[in-house]
């Protein structure tokens, strides 16, 4: 039986495990998906050695950047974002070759593309973590000019939450929350942006999918802005993950 899995810490109830095992059962695919909760990224190599049927891994917090030195090759999107969330494992004559990909970038782009129009040219990316890097690259691919917003004293080209005045909010009509602020169970919190400057031209996108409508999105909706949660991105990155791991031509990310 073929095996696929997820590495991260902590894992809890992962979406990927439920999604892929349901897919395998529904489509009569002779495979299983296993969660590997590891405390150290180096444990990944032992798992790959001791599971000879393992053909691919998803990678989640906190290892999306830490796995990179272990890769034999990186896809174009993994190289650009500096983050890997899919590892394809190839085995020949006792040797393994690990290739790192990024399906978050594709999932995000496909999920936001149809919501964009000519009024959306500049974007604010809230947070500077692994997910934010994929979103930043995705927005650039779609022709927008993204700017990071961080809590730390801003590095060159970044803004802090205090910098967000009426002028910046007026021109940056796409705002993507790439922080965990507002995620279950902390549903009473939202990123510290001046919501009073939002209006109907704004598109607010939250990577969080639990709850389906975060306080960030609710406050945008109250101001007449359009809103999107992270569920579609999650599903689209899972489709892309499967296309990558099965070598399908439908995969968007590639390794040249
Ligand atoms: P992360 O690395 O833990 O954090 C992201 C960034 O958020 C941090 O670098 C930090 O940036 C900012 N941040 C953290 N705590 C904050 C706080 N209390 N207040 C304000 N800013 C804070 O997480 P990640 O892996 O990038 O993921 C971010 C979110 O995206 C999570 O909720 C994750 O579940 C979600 N996600 C969703 C999908 C999907 O498919 N829908 C995919 C990937 C991730 P600064 O220090 O620069 O402020």
């Amino acid at each position: 039986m073929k095996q696929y899995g997820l590495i991260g810490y902590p894992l809890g109830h992962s979406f990927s495990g439920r999604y892929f095992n349901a897919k395998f059962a529904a489509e009569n695919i002779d495979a299983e998906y296993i969660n590997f909760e590891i405390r150290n990224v180096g444990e990944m190599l032992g798992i790959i050695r001791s599971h000879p049927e393992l053909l691919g891994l998803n990678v989640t917090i906190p290892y999306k950047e830490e796995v990179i030195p272990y890769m034999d090759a990186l896809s174009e999107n993994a190289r650009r974002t500096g983050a890997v969330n899919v590892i394809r494992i190839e085995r020949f004559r006792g040797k393994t070759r690990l290739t790192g990909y990024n399906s978050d970038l594709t999932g995000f782009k496909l999920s936001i593309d149809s919501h964009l129009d000519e009024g959306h040219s500049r974007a604010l990316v809230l947070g500077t973590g692994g997910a934010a890097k994929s979103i930043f690259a995705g927005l650039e691919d779609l022709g927008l000019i993204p700017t990071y917003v961080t809590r730390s004293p801003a590095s060159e080209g970044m803004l802090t939450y205090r910098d967000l005045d009426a002028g910046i909010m007026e021109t940056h009509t796409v705002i993507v929350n790439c922080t965990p602020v507002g995620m279950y169970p902390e549903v009473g919190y939202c990123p510290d942006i001046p919501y009073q400057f939002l209006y109907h031209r704004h598109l607010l996108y939250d990577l969080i999918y639990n709850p389906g409508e975060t306080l960030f999105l609710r406050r945008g909706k109250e101001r007449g802005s359009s809103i999107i949660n992270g569920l579609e991105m999650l599903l689209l990155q899972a489709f892309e993950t499967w296309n990558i791991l099965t070598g399908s031509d439908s995969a968007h990310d590639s390794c040249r």
Side-chain angles (χ1 to χ4, degrees):
M1 184 191 273
K2 290 175 181 169
Q3 292 180 329
Y4 300 91
L6 171 68
I7 56 166
Y9 188 88
L11 288 183
H13 301 286
S14 90
F15 162 82
S16 300
R18 275 179 286 130
Y19 171 81
F20 281 109
N21 281 319
K23 177 185 174 71
F24 298 155
E27 298 175 23
N28 282 322
I29 299 171
D30 187 26
E32 64 174 336
Y33 192 96
I34 308 165
N35 280 353
F36 299 102
E37 195 168 59
I38 57 175
R39 285 185 177 266
N40 181 311
V41 68
E43 291 175 40
M44 175 183 69
L45 296 180
I47 288 169
I48 291 170
R49 263 195 303 274
S50 60
H51 291 78
E53 307 304 327
L54 193 62
L55 297 178
L57 286 168
N58 278 122
V59 183
T60 188
I61 297 172
Y63 302 128
K64 288 185 184 181
E65 288 157 278
E66 287 183 45
V67 295
I68 288 181
Y70 296 89
M71 297 298 109
D72 297 301
L74 289 176
S75 74
E76 223 167 285
N77 289 346
R79 216 172 307 120
R80 284 178 64 208
T81 56
V84 161
N85 76 321
V86 182
I87 301 172
R88 190 170 174 192
I89 304 166
E90 293 166 289
R91 300 173 191 267
F92 347 67
R93 295 193 208 96
K95 286 195 178 154
T96 55
R97 179 179 160 83
L98 306 182
T99 307
Y101 294 83
N102 185 312
S103 65
D104 283 339
L105 172 50
T106 302
F108 172 70
K109 275 166 59 178
L110 294 177
S111 68
I112 196 171
D113 197 13
S114 63
H115 299 269
L116 296 172
D117 61 36
E118 66 289 344
H120 299 129
S121 57
R122 290 178 185 272
L124 297 175
V125 176
L126 311 181
T128 57
K133 293 190 180 87
S134 300
I135 276 34
F136 193 97
L139 289 165
E140 282 186 324
D141 285 352
L142 294 168
L144 277 81
I145 303 169
T147 303
Y148 286 114
V149 181
T150 175
R151 293 166 301 172
S152 345
S155 334
E156 209 184 314
M158 292 190 188
L159 296 169
T160 64
Y161 290 90
R162 283 180 163 204
D163 296 327
L164 303 180
D165 58 17
I168 288 176
M169 294 296 285
E170 162 102 35
T171 48
H172 294 72
T173 49
V174 175
I175 306 178
V176 188
N177 179 29
C178 306
T179 79
V181 179
M183 188 161 62
Y184 180 84
E186 311 283 341
V187 296
Y189 295 89
C190 55
D192 187 17
I193 63 168
Y195 292 87
Q196 70 273 21
F197 299 132
L198 295 175
Y199 65 115
H200 72 277
R201 294 292 322 153
H202 281 95
L203 172 62
L204 265 58
Y205 190 121
D206 203 327
L207 261 56
I208 294 170
Y209 47 87
N210 182 17
E213 189 175 292
T214 55
L215 185 55
F216 169 70
L217 294 184
R218 195 155 70 243
R219 293 187 70 178
K221 196 165 87 174
E222 283 165 6
R223 300 281 315 159
S225 306
S226 304
I227 59 170
I228 311 175
N229 70 25
L231 189 60
E232 197 181 351
M233 170 176 167
L234 187 71
L235 288 169
L236 291 169
Q237 71 75 29
F239 299 162
E240 170 77 351
T241 294
W242 187 242
N243 286 334
I244 290 168
L245 293 179
T246 54
S248 161
D249 288 342
S250 309
H252 290 72
D253 194 10
S254 64
C255 186
R256 281 186 209 135

